[in-house]
């Protein structure tokens, strides 16, 4: 663990200050909300008819004054609405009057597999949270709405880069552990709580509000979950994800998980992290007919593995994740004179990668959090705990390397005051390390001469610093970056994962 044990400070993410806006901004409003005061409102009446009545000019002057006042108020309301829209994470032009392509924001952003969870993460950012708050909140949300890929029964790995200190820290789950053969020990709650306790800002209970509400009041089944149900069936998943006749829920159907809501509520109100986790284990032990569970190694925070390069420093997660193998692949690819951005590096020799879920958050100062989790198979062990609503993982081999976990962060040279920070995390592919290696080699293969570097900055201002034309295998690559005091989010393939920011 890192030597510093105190709280970590971040640069505060401030909303736009209207007092700092340009005076020319109001000129950009194209359509007023009131009619043109210089245009007659009744075409059947002429100026001559108006002037024929006593006091008409005085009335006209008053009318013009009222219209001018109304126009001024309407302009202010239009401006206020524009500021609010930007705060809610749309791609509308910010108060400064300039606009960005989708996925570029002034303060912070999040990208995840579910629109509901990306929106929840964005709300936490706007509420004053940092990238850890947003990422952990979104991960808990995914544990509710994407039970085919993640959940409280999943294993989690994380990689956090702190722009304030320049340090990168890995969240490590350690070797997979089992409650009973074929059903893994659920370490999601202690892992995410540990990460939040060390680096989060908002109260822990605030992060659990949204996921608890979704589990209790219901969430809509989205396309990824519906496709997993259609492909793998509902055995072991009813009544959580089934109609009354046993058929699987489809896109747009509503699902609830009140037992999971109760677990999340207890986790939010528990006096200590151990209290909530022990309560969950007690319920699971009752469901599985166990008398108890002995203490096992818990998730930890460790210094990230790093590899210095001419272009900066690479960070990833330590063993038993695939991070060390990823760095070995990258070293081989970067030392060779032959690698091309169009050629996929050699495949990592490992067993087939389990189903996994990934998300990423970034702020404009360069803090990045990458989280990836897995239940191993789709829906894990397919054992739905009746007391907790948790699906346990079937990733239980204590010596297995987590080939699905190799998030990567590239921090530019510390000598460059405008150095970028790039985060890459992949999921859903049997060659995750290969995918990540290919994406980074493609990024580093760009021309870096001074003239080309300036052109690249201009191009990136419009297209973003993390665009990649393709990805090896059939996986998904989430990409986040801090560039030119903006937060960037994107994915390969484009449009696969919803993002939000402000």
């Amino acid at each position: 663990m890192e030597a510093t044990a105190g709280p970590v400070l971040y640069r505060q993410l401030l909303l736009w200050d209207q007092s700092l806006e340009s005076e020319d901004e109001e000129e950009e409003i194209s359509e007023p909300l009131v009619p043109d005061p210089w245009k007659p409102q009744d075409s059947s009446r002429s100026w001559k008819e108006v002037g024929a009545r006593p006091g008409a000019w005085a009335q006209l002057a008053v009318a013009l004054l009222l219209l001018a006042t109304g126009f001024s108020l309407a302009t202010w309301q239009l401006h206020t609405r524009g500021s609010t829209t930007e705060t809610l994470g749309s791609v509308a032009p910010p108060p400064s009057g300039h606009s960005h392509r989708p996925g570029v924001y002034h303060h912070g952003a999040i990208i995840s597999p579910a629109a509901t969870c990306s929106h929840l993460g964005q709300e936490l950012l706007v509420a004053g949270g940092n990238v850890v708050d947003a990422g952990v909140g979104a991960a808990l949300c995914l544990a509710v709405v994407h039970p085919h890929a993640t959940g409280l029964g999943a294993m989690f790995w994380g990689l956090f880069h702190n722009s304030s200190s320049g340090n990168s820290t890995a969240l490590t789950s350690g070797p997979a552990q089992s409650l009973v053969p074929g059903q893994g020990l659920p370490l999601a709650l202690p892992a995410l709580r540990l990460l939040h306790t060390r680096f989060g800002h908002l109260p822990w209970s605030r992060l659990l509000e949204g996921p608890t509400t979704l589990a209790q009041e219901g969430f809509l089944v989205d396309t990824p979950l519906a496709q997993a149900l259609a492909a793998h069936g509902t055995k072991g998943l009813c009544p959580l994800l089934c109609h009354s006749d046993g058929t699987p829920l489809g896109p747009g159907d509503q699902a609830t998980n009140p037992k999971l809501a109760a677990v999340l509520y207890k986790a939010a109100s528990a006096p200590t992290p151990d209290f909530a986790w022990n309560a969950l284990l007690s319920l699971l032990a009752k469901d599985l007919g166990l008398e108890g569970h002995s203490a096992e190694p818990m998730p930890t925070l460790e210094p990230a593995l790093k590899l210095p390069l001419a272009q900066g420093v690479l960070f990833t997660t330590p063993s038993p994740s695939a991070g060390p193998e990823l760095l070995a692949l990258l070293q081989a690819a970067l030392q060779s004179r032959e690698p091309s951005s169009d050629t996929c590096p050699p495949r990592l020799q490992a067993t087939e990668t389990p189903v996994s879920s990934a998300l990423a958050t970034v702020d404009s100062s360069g803090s990045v959090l990458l989280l990836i989790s897995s239940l191993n198979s789709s829906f894990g062990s397919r054992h739905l705990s009746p007391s907790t609503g948790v699906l346990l993982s079937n990733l239980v081999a204590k010596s297995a390397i987590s080939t699905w976990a190799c998030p990567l962060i590239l921090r530019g040279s510390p000598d460059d005051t405008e150095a970028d920070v790039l985060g890459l995390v992949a999921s859903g592919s049997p060659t995750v390390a290969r995918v990540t290696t290919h994406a980074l080699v493609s990024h580093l293969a760009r021309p870096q001469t001074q003239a080309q570097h300036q052109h690249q900055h201009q191009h990136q201002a419009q297209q973003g610093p993390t665009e990649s034309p393709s990805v090896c295998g059939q996986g998904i690559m989430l990409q986040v970056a801090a560039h030119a005091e903006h937060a960037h989010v994107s994915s390969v393939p484009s449009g696969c994962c919803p993002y939000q920011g402000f």
Side-chain angles (χ1 to χ4, degrees):
M1 297 181 63
E2 296 179 358
T4 303
V8 177
L9 301 178
Y10 294 85
R11 187 177 70 177
Q12 187 177 6
L13 301 180
L14 298 176
L15 299 178
W16 284 99
D17 185 349
Q18 295 183 6
S19 65
L20 300 179
E21 297 160 12
S22 65
E23 297 178 355
D24 298 331
E25 182 183 335
E26 293 184 359
E27 297 178 2
E28 299 179 8
I29 299 174
S30 58
E31 293 186 17
L33 298 182
V34 297
D36 187 345
W38 299 110
K39 180 178 180 181
Q41 301 306 301
D42 186 350
S43 59
S44 64
R45 299 178 60 192
S46 66
W47 285 100
K48 184 175 181 181
E49 290 173 337
V50 173
R53 290 167 39 194
W57 289 110
Q59 294 176 5
L60 179 61
V62 172
L64 289 174
L65 179 61
L66 290 174
L67 283 172
T69 303
F71 180 80
S72 176
L73 290 173
T75 301
W76 178 82
Q77 289 176 343
L78 179 62
H79 174 270
T80 302
R81 290 174 183 172
S83 298
T84 302
T85 302
E86 173 67 15
T87 300
L88 294 178
S90 76
V91 294
S96 60
H98 65 281
S99 61
H100 297 297
R101 70 175 183 90
V104 180
Y105 300 94
H106 282 271
H107 304 291
I110 179 169
I111 184 168
S112 83
T116 298
C117 301
S118 294
H119 181 71
L120 185 147
Q122 183 248 17
E123 286 184 335
L124 294 172
L125 287 172
V126 172
N130 56 38
V131 297
V132 172
D133 296 316
V136 170
L140 291 165
C141 171
L142 288 170
V144 176
V145 306
H146 273 190
H148 62 291
T150 185
L152 295 192
M155 286 184 65
F156 273 83
W157 287 85
L159 186 61
F160 169 58
H161 178 71
N162 182 353
S163 63
S164 299
S165 66
N167 296 326
S168 290
T169 303
L171 171 67
T172 66
S173 292
Q177 305 165 44
S178 61
L179 280 171
V180 294
Q183 298 185 28
L185 181 69
L187 293 175
L189 271 179
L192 295 175
R193 183 66 186 270
L194 174 65
L195 183 64
H196 172 265
T197 299
R198 178 71 179 276
F199 298 113
H201 174 67
L202 295 176
W204 171 247
S205 58
R206 176 68 176 85
L207 275 57
L208 286 154
E209 288 177 4
T212 303
T213 300
L214 287 169
Q216 181 65 44
E217 299 182 4
F219 59 92
L220 296 181
V221 174
D222 62 8
T223 299
L225 175 55
Q227 290 177 340
L229 284 169
H232 300 283
T234 60
K235 182 180 179 180
L237 305 179
C238 295
L240 174 63
L241 298 171
C242 306
H243 293 291
S244 57
D245 60 359
T247 58
L249 298 179
D253 289 335
Q254 189 173 46
T256 60
N257 195 340
K259 295 296 184 180
L260 181 59
V263 170
L264 293 173
Y265 178 80
K266 184 170 292 185
S269 57
T272 65
D274 290 342
F275 182 89
W277 192 62
N278 289 332
L280 173 61
L281 287 183
S282 296
L283 292 173
L284 290 173
K286 177 182 177 182
D287 288 344
L288 297 172
L290 302 175
E291 295 184 359
H293 182 76
S294 60
E296 296 283 352
M298 294 291 289
T300 60
L301 292 173
E302 302 178 15
L305 295 183
K306 63 181 180 179
L307 175 65
L309 299 174
Q311 300 90 341
V313 182
L314 293 175
F315 298 95
T316 189
T317 48
S319 179
S321 78
E325 288 79 5
L326 172 65
L327 292 187
L329 276 175
L330 287 168
Q331 280 184 298
L334 295 173
Q335 290 174 0
S336 171
R337 296 181 180 273
E338 299 178 357
S340 166
S341 60
D342 298 324
T343 302
C344 293
R347 177 187 301 242
L348 176 67
Q349 294 181 355
T351 58
E352 184 173 346
T353 301
V355 176
S356 56
S357 176
L359 65 87
T361 59
V362 60
D363 69 26
S364 58
S365 72
S367 288
V368 172
L369 174 65
L370 309 175
L371 281 174
I372 185 166
S373 58
S374 179
L375 288 167
N376 193 28
S377 304
S378 188
F379 298 105
S381 65
R382 303 184 73 86
H383 176 86
L384 181 63
S385 164
S387 299
T388 66
V390 172
L391 282 166
L392 295 173
S393 168
N394 62 349
L395 201 160
V396 296
K398 290 188 177 183
S399 61
I401 293 177
S402 300
T403 57
W404 46 271
C406 51
L408 182 72
I409 290 176
L410 170 63
R411 186 191 70 196
S413 172
D415 297 330
D416 183 358
T417 58
E418 296 183 357
D420 295 342
V421 175
L422 172 69
L424 301 172
V425 59
S427 66
S429 170
T431 54
V432 176
R434 183 178 177 223
V435 168
T436 308
T437 302
H438 171 68
L440 184 66
V441 170
S442 299
H443 176 79
L444 296 179
R446 296 173 180 173
Q448 295 296 325
T449 64
Q450 183 65 28
Q452 291 168 329
H453 187 66
Q454 293 175 357
H455 173 74
Q456 179 186 356
H457 273 254
Q458 295 172 357
H459 177 70
Q460 289 171 345
Q462 299 176 351
Q463 302 298 324
T466 61
E467 292 294 327
S468 180
S470 64
V471 64
C472 298
Q474 301 299 317
I476 292 173
M477 172 69 70
L478 304 184
Q479 307 174 99
V480 297
H483 170 73
E485 297 185 349
H486 288 75
H488 300 249
V489 288
S490 61
S491 63
V492 177
S494 177
C496 69
C497 301
Y499 51 76
Q500 289 281 341
F502 78 109

